[in-house]
Amino acid sequence: MTTSSSGPTKTFSRLARQLTAVAAVCASTASFAATWPDHPITLMMGFSAGSGVDVIARGIQEPLQEALGVPVVIDYRPGAGGNLASAAVARAAPDGYTLLLGTAATHGINPAIYKDLPFDVEDDFTPIAPLVDVSNVLTINPKVIDVNTVGEFIAEVKANPDKYYFASTGVGTGTQLAFEEFNAKAGLKMVHVPYKGGPEALQSVVKGETCCIFNQVQTVLGQHKAGTVRLLGVSTAKRIDVVKEIPTISEQAIEGFDSYIWFGLFGPKGMNPELVARINQAATQALQNPEVVKRLVSTGNTVHVSSPEVFRDLVHENRSKWAGVVEAAGLTPQ
């Protein structure tokens, strides 16, 4: 009787073809990574030109171009709290040519505010590099609530619980939730007045329509310098260089209080780890430029450099944190 060898032979041939295919893919990937980038990179931005987020985008654009050797083009896709830009990047090819300027709002707050997002902020993106952290600052109109410290503010609002209203840039936005986090830890209950955007919300405080707002340092600096508002306390654990004279909330009234908004680079899921490492390295190089650091710090930002892995952990932790703030504030997902 003759034993056929076709089975083992076919199995070996199939395995050989599979190994060859894998080797070809690896070689192609390595070749692509070696030649990347060879044309402009698009940086998607989910907020309008001139916004606080745009300050970060433009601050990093030129140094990132220099580090990568190709133009970085900002593509503005404002709307839905940054979700339109996020959705576009989630659908993009993971080739390193389409990136997202994400924030604590797009990847931390929005999952708790929007119940039907067309993407998952963790599973559908590749965290690449953090860029900066931005402190919020408790900002008041002293003609409406004449206090000089965070402790005095808390005591005054507790004594007059129905008298004072706080402004925000809209329901479920970072400015509302920053104040909600503060109120929860300070034991306050205040009336929330949402506005259409940052300028309108801040002007409501300046005009005395509301007493106060929790906003990014860079947003209130102009009014602070003009003397139309008073800054009571910054939200981060450490003071901010551009307003060193303003103590932290933790120093004054709520020990351990540390809240901030971060900005960072994301790509679509499935990006080549080598590309991720190269973009992270380019961002790190850009953020180590003394002129870049000076420019960012002058508007109230703190440079934040870390690995993609550490950034991924930050996104996960932040998502959980803001979900808790949203629940405690009694907000219903839209």
Side-chain angles (χ1 to χ4, degrees), residues 174-220:
T175 52
Q176 180 196 359
L177 295 184
F179 220 123
E180 298 288 6
E181 181 182 16
F182 170 77
N183 282 343
K185 294 187 177 180
L188 303 179
K189 289 188 180 297
M190 299 182 69
V191 178
H192 169 224
V193 182
Y195 288 83
K196 291 182 179 180
E200 295 88 348
L202 184 55
Q203 278 303 308
S204 80
V205 178
V206 173
K207 294 176 181 178
E209 297 170 357
T210 57
C211 79
C212 46
I213 189 170
F214 234 79
N215 217 341
Q216 296 172 21
V217 173
Q218 62 191 18
T219 305
V220 299

Side-chain angles (χ1 to χ4, degrees), residues 101-133:
L101 180 57
T103 73
T106 61
H107 282 63
I109 294 172
N110 285 1
I113 292 296
Y114 297 89
K115 61 183 178 181
D116 294 318
L117 288 177
F119 52 80
D120 185 279
V121 296
E122 293 183 83
D123 294 341
D124 292 332
F125 295 89
T126 300
I128 298 174
L131 298 174
V132 298
D133 298 332

Side-chain angles (χ1 to χ4, degrees), residues 9-171:
T9 300
K10 287 182 178 179
T11 300
F12 178 79
S13 298
R14 185 168 61 252
L15 179 59
R17 287 195 299 272
Q18 291 172 343
L19 291 174
T20 299
V22 170
V25 170
C26 290
S28 174
T29 301
S31 175
F32 170 75
T35 59
W36 183 93
D38 61 8
H39 61 268
I41 293 169
T42 297
L43 178 61
M44 302 288 291
M45 238 271 288
F47 303 89
S48 60
S51 64
V53 187
D54 191 34
V55 172
I56 307 302
R58 292 193 176 277
I60 197 67
Q61 181 183 24
E62 185 177 339
L64 202 57
Q65 289 178 157
E66 294 176 359
L68 292 171
V70 295
V72 174
V73 180
I74 301 175
D75 186 345
Y76 296 95
R77 300 281 183 92
N83 290 331
L84 297 184
S86 296
V89 174
R91 294 191 300 264
D95 55 12
Y97 288 106
T98 304
L99 304 177
L100 174 71
L101 180 57
T103 73
T106 61
H107 282 63
I109 294 172
N110 285 1
I113 292 296
Y114 297 89
K115 61 183 178 181
D116 294 318
L117 288 177
F119 52 80
D120 185 279
V121 296
E122 293 183 83
D123 294 341
D124 292 332
F125 295 89
T126 300
I128 298 174
L131 298 174
V132 298
D133 298 332
V134 185
S135 173
N136 284 307
V137 58
L138 178 56
T139 305
I140 67 165
N141 182 330
K143 294 180 180 179
V144 178
I145 180 167
D146 189 15
V147 295
N148 293 290
T149 68
V150 176
E152 290 177 0
F153 177 88
I154 293 172
E156 172 65 17
V157 174
K158 282 185 175 179
N160 301 277
D162 300 320
K163 182 178 180 180
Y164 298 110
Y165 299 172
F166 76 89
S168 85
T169 56
V171 175

